Amino acid sequence: MKIAVYGAYGYQGNLVVAELSRRGIDTVLVGRNVARLQSVGTPDAERRVADTDDHDGLVAAFRGAEAVINCAGPFTVSGIPVIHAAVAAGCHYVDTSGEQLYLKQVFDTFSSDTGVTIVPGANDDCLPGDLIAALAAARVAPVEEVVIALDLTRGTSTPSRGTLRSALANLESFTTGGEVYDGGQWRPGVPVRRTSMIFPGSPEPVPVVKFALPGVATAPRHLPANWVEGVARAELVPAFSSVTPDLIDSLPEGPTAEHRRTTKFVIVVHALGTDGRRARGVVEGTDTYGTTAVIAVEAARRLAADPPRPGALAPAQAYDPTDFLNFLAPHAVTWTVEQF
Ligand SMILES: NC(=O)c1ccc[n+]([C@@H]2O[C@H](COP(=O)([O-])OP(=O)(O)OC[C@H]3O[C@@H](n4cnc5c(N)ncnc54)[C@H](OP(=O)(O)O)[C@@H]3O)[C@@H](O)[C@H]2O)c1
């Protein structure tokens, strides 16, 4: 099996390339900068240069790979051309995007006649969040309302420059909290219902605010809920809303491995059934970028090894939720679902 990585020499791309090497998967390193492409992978690695405005070059770069992992964010700016090229080259596609509007655009753009499967948002919050939403909702089906909540406030790790550049490219979405899914459509400018939440490890409810989580774009693809909203622990939001280009330039490329190990990510999903029953799903893990590398590689490997139906799919449409979450257990990811 051969997997191509676009944006291979970025912070997340480096971690994905290392994970592919650990898994013993043949890799093609792709990016637009020849010199930077030399800085990643082994000296004898296969390298191909292509920019996102060069469709034929990108197709040629991906040809021969079974799948593409795209780590070149901001995806709102350059993600769609990379998918068009992957489709033309006959490659399945995953990316590490957390940009809610881009994920919606992917589902709007790519239908089932692509011949390959496209799973955007193969990262530490979208993929486990979507899978745990499916498991929690199944406990109380038919489901009426789903709340997806994120807590990233524990630990000493800071976001990568690329994460902050992606937030800047989606500033309005990040500062206004993005969209909610309401009665069959996504709508901006609608307040969320949830204002506080109990996260594992804190017995008292803590304030949460509307947040542009990618799971709001994916969960309604497979859950017949009337309402899906995304919230985050309130302390998380200032880190994104005060981003400026100068601030980004003053930061290191990304957190050190030591700092990454101290990060904890927690996703809590509340599902409310039409009959009033409630279920809660929780996913907890550490090292957001390291876990994203594990998730993106496994997501691409599964598409190549056992392709689901073609077209753009949410994680829970492409993978068995229990099986994928259990796969993550050796990587310090735990999960639970309970009815209450
Ligand atoms: N949970 C989450 O939401 C989550 C978790 C992990 C990662 N992510 C996302 O993953 C992405 C990558 O993060 P990162 O820290 O690796 O960023 P990074 O270090 O800035 O790397 C980005 C890579 O993309 C390339 N790139 C950017 N714009 C491009 C364009 N228009 N055309 C071609 N190549 C382009 C860059 O190449 P050049 O140097 O040539 O520009 C670089 O190789 C971000 O969007 C981040 O938000 C999200």
Side-chain angles (χ1 to χ4, degrees):
M1 180 184 297
K2 188 182 273 188
I3 293 181
V5 184
Y6 193 64
Y9 51 78
Y11 180 78
Q12 185 64 65
N14 262 280
L15 295 173
V16 165
V17 170
E19 174 64 7
L20 284 162
S21 164
R22 191 187 70 80
R23 298 284 306 266
I25 297 172
D26 286 350
T27 306
V28 187
L29 310 172
V30 192
R32 61 179 168 180
N33 184 313
V34 189
R36 289 201 71 196
L37 211 44
Q38 295 302 324
S39 69
V40 59
T42 55
D44 58 345
E46 205 174 334
R47 292 178 171 80
R48 297 179 189 164
V49 181
D51 210 331
T52 48
D53 59 5
D54 173 13
H55 176 74
D56 293 345
L58 264 187
V59 175
F62 294 156
R63 195 154 274 144
E66 275 89 23
V68 170
I69 302 175
N70 184 10
C71 302
F75 295 86
T76 312
V77 176
S78 61
I80 296 295
V82 179
I83 306 183
H84 278 300
V87 170
C91 303
H92 301 290
Y93 171 95
V94 306
D95 64 43
T96 60
S97 177
E99 297 159 46
Q100 190 188 79
L101 294 179
Y102 161 74
L103 264 77
K104 278 188 62 207
Q105 197 187 356
V106 172
F107 285 99
D108 290 344
T109 309
F110 296 96
S111 59
S112 58
D113 61 8
T114 49
V116 296
T117 308
I118 296 157
V119 181
N123 61 42
D124 62 295
D125 85 75
C126 181
L127 186 139
D130 192 69
L131 300 182
I132 201 75
L135 293 174
R139 287 287 182 98
V140 295
V143 67
E144 165 66 25
E145 177 192 283
V146 174
V147 180
I148 307 171
L150 178 68
D151 180 5
L152 270 182
T153 58
R154 293 187 232 166
T156 59
S157 187
T158 49
S160 71
R161 283 206 299 246
T163 293
L164 294 176
R165 272 193 284 269
S166 296
L168 196 59
N170 291 268
L171 200 56
E172 193 184 338
S173 175
F174 273 95
T175 52
T176 60
E179 302 191 357
V180 300
Y181 182 77
D182 176 13
Q185 57 184 325
W186 284 269
R187 297 205 293 143
V190 177
V192 289
R193 298 171 178 170
R194 178 74 55 152
T195 55
S196 66
M197 194 93 168
I198 294 180
F199 287 97
S202 55
E204 297 301 320
V206 295
V208 292
V209 294
K210 189 180 181 196
F211 197 67
L213 290 180
V216 177
T218 58
R221 313 280 162 187
H222 53 91
L223 296 178
N226 263 321
W227 180 273
V228 180
E229 67 179 29
V231 295
R233 200 165 166 159
E235 298 101 294
L236 181 63
V237 177
F240 288 96
S241 51
S242 57
V243 175
T244 62
D246 286 348
L247 174 73
I248 295 173
D249 290 344
S250 73
L251 296 171
E253 189 183 19
T256 62
E258 192 185 334
H259 279 137
R260 286 205 325 267
R261 278 193 290 276
T262 71
T263 336
K264 182 150 188 167
F265 66 88
V266 184
I267 303 152
V268 177
V269 170
H270 279 218
L272 170 67
T274 52
D275 59 3
R277 287 176 302 147
R278 290 174 184 275
R280 177 173 130 115
V282 177
V283 181
E284 295 181 78
T286 61
D287 184 357
T288 53
Y289 295 99
T291 304
T292 292
V294 169
I295 286 173
V297 168
E298 180 63 7
R301 191 201 66 75
R302 286 184 185 220
L303 295 188
D306 185 15
R309 65 182 159 86
L313 298 185
Q317 294 174 305
Y319 312 109
D320 178 80
T322 302
D323 189 60
F324 203 118
L325 287 170
N326 286 344
F327 164 82
L328 296 174
H331 303 279
V333 175
T334 60
W335 66 278
T336 56
V337 180
E338 59 183 356
Q339 211 177 314
F340 64 100

